[in-house]
Structures are given as structure tokens and as C-alpha cells.
Amino acid sequence: MAELRADAQRNRGELLGAARQVIAEEGVDASLRDIARRAGVGIGTLYRHFPTREALLAAIIDDGVRRLAATAEGLAAAKPADEALDAWLTKVAGTIGPYRGLAASMLEAVTDEEAGDPALRLACEGMMDSGRDLLAAAQASGDIRPDVTWPDVFTAIAAISGIASQPGKQDRDAAARVLAVYLDGLRATHAARPVQAM
Amino acid sequence: MAELRADAQRNRGELLGAARQVIAEEGVDASLRDIARRAGVGIGTLYRHFPTREALLAAIIDDGVRRLAATAEGLAAAKPADEALDAWLTKVAGTIGPYRGLAASMLEAVTDEEAGDPALRLACEGMMDSGRDLLAAAQASGDIRPDVTWPDVFTAIAAISGIASQPGKQDRDAAARVLAVYLDGLRATHAARPVQAM
DNA sequence: ACCTGAACACCGTTCAAGT
DNA sequence: ACCTGAACACCGTTCAAGT
């Protein structure tokens, strides 16, 4: 990756910038042609750099998820396990939320071994490890229900953070309120209720 | 609606059946041309009957939401308020879940006064009333937190039920488990935690 | 090595022409 | 009153041709 030709490197940067803009506005299903246009390159160039829409998404979030993984350790050291988990999950939701549909794409990448895009799954790996660790610590400390798994919790966070980029902005932090209720449900302070089939 | 020409009525039925099939398979963004093809009519006919994709969605779920509204009263009479709410929300999630993306469309219709499609919003009206009533009753009985609103709860249910139609079926009832945790968080049995900004 | 854009098979949506 | 399909402007994706 380091030995890209100078023009190629510039194009890559231009594409990434344009993609961040367009996807923030239009969501993950935004037109790739649009992105290429705004980056000032041909559509073929976009495909050469990012063979897959998910590869482009992976590149977009790469920095963010790396930061999340880094944050996890600091939080674990500074706070009680359950509060660290809370704060971190809130950060995750905040990072993913603004890009409409991104949470669903990440969920698919991480969850679906065959259909999920490998590049996006790879990008999420560090973040997934951090989440698993934080959850395990909070469960070990007895603050969080022992019967939830990290995949389930991440699934929940992904679904809930999607609320933030939903159209209908009359209530911008509905996602935060829903998340608060879910995090409450995660506490071990009360008896777990049985799961009802849907 | 009753005085449709015979052939028009048949076409409408054919379109509805095809739409249910295709959308169950491909999600709410399924190709309208595909639906028209499978119904054996021209694309123009689809547009004449359902001027908007959301109008088609509204027609598809009309029966289901009507049933939900009807169920609500029975549950309220038969069970304690909080259990009635639980059971009903679970039913809602089960009804909406199978159609990928439907929950998001309904949420937009119900939430976004300007951009949301009026036909879909209208179709959801009875269901929304039922939910509001059930929640109010459960809050009045003291079982459910007083600080949550029905729009927030519906938003949560919509987001969570979307999990069920997410690709990556390795774990088919993840949605049910996430819902159970959220419903737990809805209980008034423990102190509400503060909402953190995302 | 890398970039470009034409080409292909699609799609949503509209609307003249038909019965 | 209703149906049809061509027409338009898009889109994702590929690939020959260029430098």
C-alpha cells in the first residue's frame, strides 16, 4: 500500500474524501458514479482502488474503528467495567450512526461468513475484539447479565445506531434514548425475563 | 375502492401477491419491474394501482397491521399491562421483521411528517394508536418506566425487528433476544440511568 | 501501473397510444 | 376506465484502449 504511484495515491485520497461526503449525505447506497465524479476521476479508477462498495466503506471507517479499539483500553483502565462498556458502546454508536446504512453493512460483514465482504469484516476486527473484551470484563465483574453474547450486543448496537441516520430528524437523539434503555436491560440487577419467540 | 373494473381488481390482486413474494425475498427495495413481471402486467399498471413504492408497501401490510390493532385489545383484557405490552410488541416485531427494510420505511412514514409517505403513515395509524394505549396503560400500572414515549418505543421496535431480516442467518432469533433485553430495560423495577450523548 | 470512458444490462418513472 | 410498452435519464460493473 505504501508504494503507490504518486497520482494513484492522490486519486485514492480524493476518492475517499468524496466518498465520505457523499455517503454522509446519501447513505451507503449512494451512487458510486457520483463519488467518482466528485473526486474528479473516472468510474474505472474508483473500481480499481475499491473493487467493492464494501471495500470503500472499509476504507472510510478504518480510522474511526482504529480509534475505537484504542479508546477501549483507556476506558477499561479508568472506569468500572460496566461503565466502561456503556461509554464505549455509546462511542461506537456515535461513530457508526451518521452514515445511513453503514451499521447494517458492518453487521452483515461481521455476521455473515459467506456473503459478508471480507475487507469490511477485516476492518471491523479490532473493534470486535475490543467489544468482546469489554463485555467479558463487565460480565466477570457481575454487573452485566451473563446470558448475553458479544455478537448479540453488537447486533443490538448496530440496529440502534442506525436510528440516528434515519430520515425524520424531528428527534435527533432518539437513538441515544433507545440505547440508554437497552443498556439498562443489559444490567444484571434484575432477573432476566424469558425470550419470547417472534 | 369497491367499484373497480373486474380486470383491474384482478390485476391489483395479482400485483399484491407478486409484491409480497418478491419483497419477502429481496426486501423493500426490490425491483418494481420484477414485481410487475411476476404479476403478468405492464409496469404502467403497477404505477396506476400503486403510485408510490410506499403505497404498495402500505397495501401489503394493511391486513397485518389491522390484525395487530385487533389483537391489542384482547391482550390488554387478558394480561397484566406490562405483559400485554411485551406480547404485543413481540407480535409487532414478528409481523414487520420478515420484510427487509420495511421497519425503516414504516418508521420514516410515521416519524417524518414531510418526507414520509402519507399512504404508509395512514396504514400504520391504527397500530400506532394501539401501541400508545398499551404503553400508557403499562406506565399507569407502574410496571414500565414513565420516562419513555411511544414514538421512542416504536422506533426501538422498528430498529430491532429489522435485525430479523438482516442477511447472515446463522442466528435466526437474535432479534428476539435483543428485544428481550430492551423490554427488560423498559421495566420500572430499577433506577433509570442517565442518557449519554452520542 | 494506472487511468479513462464506452458498452452492457439493468432500474424508476412518465406518458402517448391503444382497447 | 384501464392497460401497455417505448422512452428518458439514470445506475453498477466490465474491459478495451490509451499513457
Side-chain angles (χ1 to χ4, degrees):
Chain A
M1 279 265 172
E3 59 279 331
L4 274 178
R5 231 168 59 179
D7 55 341
Q9 189 145 10
R10 197 171 24 107
N11 283 340
R12 214 192 104 99
E14 220 65 60
L15 278 165
L16 229 40
R20 260 188 261 260
Q21 272 189 50
V22 176
I23 289 180
E25 292 166 12
E26 314 274 349
V28 288
D29 291 326
S31 157
L32 297 178
R33 265 190 163 86
D34 233 44
I35 294 173
R37 259 192 300 263
R38 210 178 301 196
V41 306
I43 180 67
T45 303
L46 185 152
Y47 273 92
R48 163 164 262 262
H49 283 276
F50 308 103
T52 265
R53 171 172 247 119
E54 280 77 19
L56 180 56
L57 293 180
I60 285 184
I61 63 168
D62 200 57
D63 272 17
V65 291
R66 217 191 300 279
R67 261 196 303 273
L68 283 174
T71 308
E73 298 176 26
L75 285 173
K79 298 191 177 200
D82 64 329
E83 290 179 29
L85 180 67
D86 270 30
W88 190 75
L89 291 179
T90 303
K91 259 194 206 314
V92 172
T95 308
I96 300 175
Y99 298 95
R100 183 170 7 122
L102 176 57
S105 295
M106 289 174 66
L107 192 54
E108 181 180 0
V110 157
T111 281
D112 196 327
E113 202 68 41
E114 43 194 64
D117 186 273
L120 190 50
R121 174 163 51 239
L122 185 68
C124 294
E125 220 167 40
M127 187 203 64
M128 292 298 281
D129 289 340
S130 299
R132 214 183 332 264
D133 291 350
L134 282 175
L135 177 62
Q139 287 176 318
S141 81
D143 294 329
I144 296 293
R145 291 177 171 219
D147 66 333
V148 298
T149 67
W150 166 242
D152 274 6
V153 173
F154 177 70
T155 298
I157 300 307
I160 292 171
S161 67
I163 296 171
S165 46
Q166 184 76 6
K169 52 196 73 199
Q170 39 129 291
D171 206 339
R172 285 285 289 299
D173 31 34
R177 293 194 304 274
V178 170
L179 181 58
V181 170
Y182 177 79
L183 292 177
D184 236 21
L186 239 31
R187 306 286 142 170
T189 45
H190 47 104
R193 303 175 347 84
V195 175
Q196 300 180 48
M198 298 189 1
Chain B
M1 279 269 170
E3 59 278 329
L4 274 178
R5 231 168 61 178
D7 56 340
Q9 188 143 10
R10 197 170 25 107
N11 283 340
R12 214 192 104 99
E14 220 66 59
L15 278 166
L16 228 42
R20 259 188 263 261
Q21 272 189 48
V22 175
I23 290 180
E25 292 166 12
E26 315 274 349
V28 289
D29 292 326
S31 156
L32 297 179
R33 266 190 163 87
D34 233 43
I35 294 173
R37 259 192 300 263
R38 211 178 301 196
V41 306
I43 180 68
T45 302
L46 186 150
Y47 274 92
R48 163 164 261 260
H49 283 277
F50 308 102
T52 263
R53 170 171 246 119
E54 280 77 20
L56 180 56
L57 292 180
I60 283 184
I61 62 168
D62 200 56
D63 272 17
V65 291
R66 215 192 301 280
R67 261 195 303 272
L68 283 174
T71 308
E73 300 176 26
L75 285 172
K79 299 191 177 200
D82 64 329
E83 290 179 29
L85 180 67
D86 270 30
W88 190 75
L89 291 178
T90 302
K91 259 194 209 310
V92 172
T95 307
I96 300 174
Y99 298 96
R100 183 168 9 121
L102 176 57
S105 296
M106 290 174 67
L107 193 53
E108 182 180 1
V110 157
T111 282
D112 196 328
E113 201 68 40
E114 43 194 62
D117 186 273
L120 190 50
R121 174 163 50 241
L122 185 67
C124 294
E125 221 168 40
M127 186 202 63
M128 293 298 280
D129 289 341
S130 299
R132 213 181 335 264
D133 290 350
L134 282 175
L135 177 63
Q139 287 175 318
S141 80
D143 295 328
I144 296 292
R145 291 177 173 219
D147 67 332
V148 298
T149 67
W150 167 242
D152 275 6
V153 173
F154 178 70
T155 298
I157 300 307
I160 292 171
S161 67
I163 296 171
S165 45
Q166 184 76 7
K169 52 196 72 193
Q170 39 129 290
D171 207 339
R172 286 284 287 300
D173 30 34
R177 292 194 303 273
V178 170
L179 181 59
V181 170
Y182 177 79
L183 292 176
D184 236 19
L186 239 30
R187 306 286 143 168
T189 45
H190 47 105
R193 305 174 349 84
V195 174
Q196 301 181 46
M198 298 190 359

